[in-house]
Amino acid sequence: MQSLYDFNYEQLGEYALAQGWKKYRGHQLFQWMYRKRIKDIDEMSDQKKEIRTFLKERFCLSPLTLKDKQVSKDGTTKYLFELADGSLVESVLMLYDYGRSICVTSQVGCNMGCAFCASGLLKKKRDLSSGEMVAQVMYVQQDLDALQERLSHIVVMGTGEPFDNYDNVMNFLATVNDDRGLAIGARHITISTCGVVPKIYAFAKAHTQYNLAISLHAPNDALRDTLMPINRAYSLNELMKAVRCYGEENNRRLTFEYILLKGVNDQPQHAKQLAELLKGVHAYVNLIPYNAVDEHGYQGVSRNEAMRFYDALMKMGVRCTIRKEHGGDIDAACGQLRAKHMKVQGVKQ
C-alpha cells in the first residue's frame, strides 16, 4: 500500500481534485497529517466516512514499524525501522544546544562502497520513497510530541547516497519544509553527498535554500580512489568544478565532511593538500571523529591528534570544526545497528 506521506502539499491537492473532491480536502488531509500528527486515517474527524474509507482502502499512513531503539547516555536515540517489504532502515535523533536534529536514511543499503563506512556493509536493495523518508521524521516527531519538543533540523546523511535517489529526496524535503506542515526551515536542512557530480549541478540549478555537504574524506585522488570508489567515476577536479558551480549559483557556504582515520588521512601533508584543494571555495571543514566498524579495520584518532589536524588547517586559513561525538555507547555509526540485526538474521552481506 502506498503511504499518504508520499504526497507533498501540492500533490495532495491535485489528488483530491482528481477524485472529484474540492481541492481544500487536500489541505485538510495535510493539516491532519503534519499539524495534528495523527497516527490513523480514522482520526480525520472532519472528513466524511466515505472519504476515510476510500483512503484506507488505498493508502496506509506510516509505512514503517519500530524494530529496535537504542538510547545513549547523551540522549542520542537510534531507531531501527522495518518497512512493508521487511527491509530495515535507521534514523538517529541527536540533541544539540540549538535544537533537535534527525539523521534520515534515503536508501535500503548503499552501493557507494566507501571503505570505512558501516552503511555499505549491506549493498543497496532499493531507493526509499519520499513517504518512507517522511515517515522516519514523523515517527521521531511523534516521540518528541510526548515531551512537548519539536524537530528543528534534518540531515539526510543516513544510509544511502541521497543524490542517487534525487527525485524522491527532493520531494521528501518539499514536504517537511512546507510552512503548512512541519515547517522545518530550509536552512535547517542539510543534504550530504559523496560526490554524484551530475546531481550536484542539478541541485545547484534548483536554487533551493537547503544546505549542501560534501563527504570528502581525502585531499587527493589516489587516496580518495582507495577510500571512496565514487572518485573513480568523478575525480576531485570534476567534483570541485561542480562545487564551485553550486557556490556561484547559490552564494551559499558549503560544508566538507572529513572523517579522520588514524594514519590514513590525518597527516600534516594531508592537511596541506586539503587547504590547497579548498583554496577560494566558500566553505568550512567538519572534522569527524571516526566510530570504528569492526569489519573495516580503520581506527579513529585521539582528541589531541584531531586538534593537531584542526590547528594545521586553521593556520592555513581553512575554517573548520570538530564534530561533537554522539552515541558513543550505542551502535552509533550509520548502518551499524541494521547490519547487526541482519547478521543475527543470517542475511549475507
Side-chain angles (χ1 to χ4, degrees), residues 62-338:
S62 178
L64 52 78
T65 54
L66 185 66
K67 185 79 171 176
D68 196 1
K69 182 177 178 181
Q70 295 181 339
V71 182
S72 168
K73 60 186 178 184
D74 65 15
T76 300
T77 304
K78 171 160 275 195
Y79 298 80
L80 182 69
F81 296 115
E82 184 173 23
L83 303 176
D85 64 354
S87 298
L88 301 177
V89 297
E90 296 174 350
S91 307
V92 183
L93 171 67
M94 296 164 288
L95 312 184
Y96 293 95
D97 293 339
Y98 56 75
R100 305 291 182 259
S101 179
I102 181 174
C103 181
V104 173
T105 282
S106 59
Q107 295 178 315
V108 178
C110 184
N111 276 346
M112 295 299 108
C114 297
F116 48 82
C117 184
S119 294
L121 290 175
L122 296 167
K123 298 306 178 186
K124 175 184 167 181
K125 181 178 177 182
R126 65 176 177 86
D127 293 330
L128 292 192
S129 71
S130 59
E132 289 170 326
M133 288 177 268
V134 171
Q136 295 171 55
V137 174
M138 294 304 298
Y139 192 102
V140 174
Q141 179 56 67
Q142 287 162 346
D143 257 11
L144 290 176
D145 284 339
L147 304 173
Q148 296 186 313
E149 297 176 352
R150 71 182 294 270
L151 286 168
S152 58
H153 293 69
I154 293 175
V155 292
V156 191
M157 296 183 183
T159 299
E161 164 53 55
F163 280 180
D164 189 36
N165 187 17
Y166 184 84
D167 291 339
N168 285 334
V169 167
M170 296 301 282
N171 196 59
F172 152 66
L173 295 180
T175 297
V176 296
N177 173 237
D178 199 296
D179 288 340
R180 293 155 294 197
L182 292 178
I184 296 176
R187 296 196 178 210
H188 289 177
I189 294 172
T190 301
I191 307 172
S192 175
T193 177
C194 66
V196 182
V197 165
K199 296 304 182 184
I200 294 175
Y201 283 112
F203 186 70
K205 299 296 183 182
H207 293 237
T208 67
Q209 293 298 303
Y210 308 132
N211 301 306
L212 180 61
I214 305 295
S215 294
L216 191 63
H217 310 314
N220 62 69
D221 278 321
L223 180 55
R224 200 164 191 263
D225 281 352
T226 300
L227 296 177
M228 303 180 70
I230 187 74
N231 200 69
R232 299 168 201 161
Y234 307 110
S235 68
L236 278 174
N237 182 52
E238 293 174 273
L239 175 60
M240 295 309 294
K241 283 181 181 178
V243 160
R244 287 186 169 88
C245 171
Y246 170 83
E248 291 166 4
E249 287 280 344
N250 296 274
N251 194 29
R252 299 294 308 283
R253 185 178 71 169
L254 286 119
T255 300
F256 285 91
E257 298 163 323
Y258 195 97
I259 289 176
L260 289 167
L261 302 171
K262 189 176 182 68
V264 176
N265 65 352
D266 63 332
Q267 300 302 301
Q269 67 267 26
H270 298 129
K272 185 176 180 181
Q273 290 167 3
L274 184 56
E276 185 64 30
L277 181 70
L278 301 185
K279 189 176 292 183
V281 178
H282 183 39
Y284 78 98
V285 176
N286 190 12
L287 299 173
I288 303 172
Y290 181 58
N291 285 310
V293 178
D294 292 342
E295 290 85 348
H296 291 320
Y298 292 103
Q299 297 299 315
V301 299
S302 68
R303 179 68 182 180
N304 286 340
E305 289 167 330
M307 285 303 301
R308 280 199 292 272
F309 199 85
Y310 168 90
D311 288 339
L313 288 177
M314 291 291 282
K315 287 175 182 176
M316 288 182 282
V318 177
R319 292 192 61 191
C320 53
T321 57
I322 299 177
R323 181 187 289 178
K324 179 182 176 183
E325 291 189 72
H326 289 270
D329 56 326
I330 59 176
D331 293 299
C334 183
Q336 276 187 320
L337 182 56
R338 174 175 176 261

Side-chain angles (χ1 to χ4, degrees), residues 14-26:
E14 290 166 4
Y15 184 80
L17 283 176
Q19 307 317 308
W21 307 336
K22 299 292 186 182
K23 191 172 183 178
Y24 73 81
R25 291 286 183 197

